[in-house]
Amino acid sequence: MSSVATKPVKIKPGSALEVARASFTRATLDQCVKCTICETQCPVLRVTEKFPGPKYVGPQAERYRGGYSVDHSLDYCSGCSICSTSCPQGVKIAEINAQARAVMKAGHMPLRDRLITQTELEGKLLTPFAPIANWALDVKWLRKLVEVVIGVHAEAPTPKAQFHSFMHWWKHHTPQTTGARGTLVFFHGCAGGYFEVSTSIATVRVLEHLGYRILVPKQGCCGLASQSNGLFDTASKSVLKLCRDLRAAGDNLTIISSSGSCAGMLRHEAHEIMGVDAAELRDVGSRVVETSEFLAELLDEGEFPVEELRPMDLEVIYHQPCQVKSQGIGKPAIRLLEAIPGVKVVESGEPCCGIGGTYGLKKEKFKVAQAIGKPLFNKIRATNPELALCETETCRWQIRKGTGAEVIHPVELLCKALGLSTEGR
């Protein structure tokens, strides 16, 4: 276990990091009663001794961080937020740890951590060269070179570049509805825009089938990857710009997102981790709804056409990602999926897949991430080695890597059950 602390860091006045450290989140540490529940729930602590646990590097250590000195073992926190969601006292443990990690990296941010946060740029660069990009991602010596030079593990899960972006599809798409049920704004996220394009298309198809008119404003990155790597200034600018982009579609419109992690950034992470308290974030965050959540509400109200769902003889694992759990919405995807005749949904029961956004890509954390995900991988292989369901993109990449299964967002299975296609216009 590391016990080496960084030298005291001088935080730039007026920076996003200073704003975060002055927010309400840090004040919750005094609610900690040292019950150690967070320790028992931490998926990282289960598999490595390099991490002393969320309580010790979080509220307990925070009381002694004079001059913002931070222990390096904190960097092994994956940011899954399970500690925060399991804390009976409401201590924002993961958020405190995220702030402290940003302090630790201030002034000496690794180049790798800057590069892997550029998800939108990566999508724009890879899409036009999809065949070459996908070939390169399978070349072992090239991946090993990237590991040595940049620090991204040679076996880390990566997405497949697509031949067309979602916005390319959208520009050629002919709406299939008059919008009699109202208008919704769709937020696709970076991965949903460039890598998990079928998820975004399926979302639009289903919502239009239900009678909604869909608006897709020009939109950028939510800043989640930058935030999780301690780049608070970059992340704050990104999330506020995104809020302005989404608000441009119209006031008081519900915003639907099939990117569970990006929805979490808008709903609570930008505020609770970085202390962003702008009116535009409060407005957008209050209107964002994850796709499964929105559709399950229609189901509960008797407004979803269950009679149109085609039977499927299927047993499948559903894994709810950490960043969807942290939104406190329950598990609406299960209710939704079980409405499909013949579908048996098996909840994974596992706390985390291990990827932690970009955490599992890093060479020093890859084995930790794989060890965290192993119980989940084994359950998928034992239940249905061909298919699994999960709401966030990086989690799907991790599970695909660990199992070889096809892993899709629940809305894609629903789209198929309704007889809709994610192909064509």
Side-chain angles (χ1 to χ4, degrees):
M1 182 187 303
S2 171
S3 60
V4 180
T6 60
K7 294 180 180 179
V9 175
K10 185 176 181 180
I11 297 177
K12 183 180 179 181
S15 67
L17 187 50
E18 184 185 55
V19 171
R21 298 291 284 179
S23 70
F24 77 98
T25 296
R26 188 170 183 271
T28 68
L29 68 90
D30 289 327
Q31 296 166 204
C32 177
V33 295
K34 299 186 179 181
C35 67
T36 72
I37 289 176
C38 61
E39 302 282 304
T40 66
Q41 300 302 306
C42 177
V44 179
L45 189 57
R46 292 180 185 182
V47 300
T48 180
E49 294 182 351
K50 293 180 179 180
F51 184 55
K55 182 190 77 170
Y56 290 100
V57 299
Q60 185 159 308
E62 187 70 15
R63 297 185 176 103
Y64 302 101
R65 286 177 185 145
Y68 297 126
S69 180
V70 183
D71 189 291
H72 277 294
S73 63
L74 171 66
D75 200 36
Y76 275 87
C77 169
S78 68
C80 69
S81 296
I82 292 172
C83 52
S84 291
T85 56
S86 65
C87 178
Q89 298 297 116
V91 182
K92 300 292 184 180
I93 308 167
E95 292 81 355
I96 290 170
N97 289 346
Q99 293 175 358
R101 183 168 53 246
V103 170
M104 181 183 72
K105 296 170 72 173
H108 48 86
M109 181 68 62
L111 174 62
R112 174 198 62 194
D113 294 9
R114 294 183 183 276
L115 292 175
I116 61 177
T117 64
Q118 301 301 309
T119 48
E120 184 179 20
L121 177 60
E122 290 162 7
K124 288 180 178 179
L125 292 176
L126 294 179
T127 300
F129 307 100
I132 298 173
N134 290 331
W135 169 82
L137 289 171
D138 287 332
V139 177
K140 291 184 178 180
W141 69 263
L142 187 56
R143 291 291 302 272
K144 192 63 181 178
L145 180 63
V146 171
E147 178 180 328
V148 172
V149 176
I150 298 177
V152 174
H153 198 281
E155 297 180 33
T158 54
K160 291 292 184 183
Q162 304 299 311
F163 290 91
H164 298 293
S165 68
F166 168 72
M167 288 305 295
H168 178 273
W169 176 87
W170 174 253
K171 288 176 182 177
H172 296 86
H173 171 62
T174 302
Q176 304 298 305
T177 178
T178 59
R181 293 189 72 169
T183 301
L184 302 170
V185 178
F186 180 53
F187 166 44
H188 53 69
C190 297
Y194 293 99
F195 300 113
E196 300 289 296
V197 176
S198 61
T199 299
S200 297
I201 294 175
T203 304
V204 171
R205 293 283 197 204
V206 170
L207 293 174
E208 287 188 341
H209 183 77
L210 295 177
Y212 291 98
R213 173 177 174 243
I214 308 301
L215 301 179
V216 186
K218 181 180 179 181
Q219 53 195 262
C221 180
C222 70
L224 176 59
S226 294
Q227 176 259 100
S228 65
N229 280 280
L231 294 160
F232 282 15
D233 283 312
T234 300
S236 296
K237 291 175 183 176
S238 294
V239 74
L240 289 176
K241 182 180 183 304
L242 172 63
C243 288
R244 292 192 292 271
D245 291 341
L246 294 175
R247 293 181 82 194
D251 297 332
N252 303 316
L253 297 175
T254 298
I255 302 168
I256 304 296
S257 179
S258 291
S259 178
S261 54
C262 296
M265 178 68 168
L266 290 168
R267 289 176 118 173
H268 69 100
E269 289 197 15
H271 174 59
E272 294 182 2
I273 293 178
M274 299 191 300
V276 179
D277 195 32
E280 54 262 51
L281 177 64
R282 291 195 299 272
D283 172 45
V284 170
S286 68
R287 292 193 278 132
V288 171
V289 182
E290 205 282 325
T291 303
S292 297
E293 180 185 11
F294 179 79
L295 296 176
E297 185 174 332
L298 293 181
L299 180 69
D300 294 342
E301 294 174 352
E303 296 182 7
F304 189 92
V306 291
E307 68 281 358
E308 296 182 24
L309 294 171
R310 301 178 180 182
M312 293 183 178
D313 183 14
L314 181 66
E315 181 177 7
V316 64
I317 286 277
Y318 163 72
H319 175 71
Q320 186 176 53
C322 307
Q323 286 173 313
V324 175
K325 288 189 184 84
S326 67
Q327 294 174 48
I329 61 175
K331 294 183 172 64
I334 294 178
R335 301 199 307 280
L336 196 62
L337 293 165
E338 288 182 337
I340 303 173
V343 172
K344 180 182 178 181
V345 182
V346 180
E347 187 181 353
S348 76
E350 296 300 326
C352 184
C353 74
I355 192 64
T358 60
Y359 179 91
L361 308 181
K362 301 173 182 180
K363 65 178 182 180
E364 72 276 15
K365 301 183 179 76
F366 174 77
K367 289 184 178 179
V368 174
Q370 291 298 304
I372 292 171
K374 187 176 180 179
L376 172 61
F377 305 157
N378 289 340
K379 285 187 177 181
I380 290 172
R381 293 192 192 100
T383 303
N384 183 340
E386 304 297 325
L387 180 68
L389 305 170
C390 181
E391 283 110 337
T392 62
E393 298 92 347
T394 54
C395 295
R396 293 200 289 272
W397 304 342
Q398 170 83 337
I399 298 169
R400 287 171 192 159
K401 175 70 178 180
T403 65
E406 180 184 8
V407 190
I408 61 175
H409 189 290
V411 75
E412 292 193 60
L413 192 65
L414 194 70
C415 185
K416 183 178 180 180
L418 287 168
L420 307 174
S421 172
T422 57
E423 302 294 331
R425 303 301 178 188

